[in-house]
Amino acid sequence: GFAIARRLGQDGAHVVISSRKQKNVDKAIEELQAEKLSVSGTVCHVSNPQHRKDLIEKVSITLFMCQSMYMPSMRAPTVVCRA
């Protein structure tokens, strides 16, 4: 996901980074901003319906790429992606 975000930013897109952990969001933003790319970010845990709703409401979507992985601690992965 990070490499795709970097490439989209290099191609002129404003990229919105999300992660379950704020420290991951901050690290990604810092690295991309150091490359003079347009980036912002927010915490979003895909198992939390409110986090998903907040992310969708915060961004103007041209392309929404959703990358998630199965977590054994979850009964079933739930990811809602809309564009």
Side-chain angles (χ1 to χ4, degrees):
F2 183 80
I4 294 169
R6 173 181 278 139
R7 180 55 192 251
L8 289 170
Q10 290 169 342
D11 288 344
H14 175 80
V15 178
V16 179
I17 299 291
S18 70
S19 176
R20 294 179 298 135
K21 299 178 181 176
Q22 184 66 52
K23 68 179 183 174
N24 294 340
V25 173
D26 294 343
K27 181 179 177 184
I29 289 173
E30 182 180 326
E31 191 170 331
L32 294 174
Q33 284 179 339
E35 297 176 27
K36 307 294 187 216
L37 303 180
S38 177
V39 61
S40 59
T42 186
V43 171
C44 181
H45 195 301
V46 296
S47 69
N48 183 319
Q50 188 62 49
H51 282 192
R52 294 190 312 261
K53 182 180 178 187
D54 291 346
L55 176 63
I56 296 293
E57 290 177 354
K58 285 181 183 179
V59 298
S60 170
I61 300 173
T62 302
L63 169 68
F64 187 83
M65 187 199 79
C66 186
Q67 180 178 359
S68 183
M69 59 194 292
Y70 176 73
M71 302 290 288
S73 61
M74 297 170 60
R75 291 186 195 140
T78 304
V79 179
V80 177
C81 299
R82 293 179 246 170

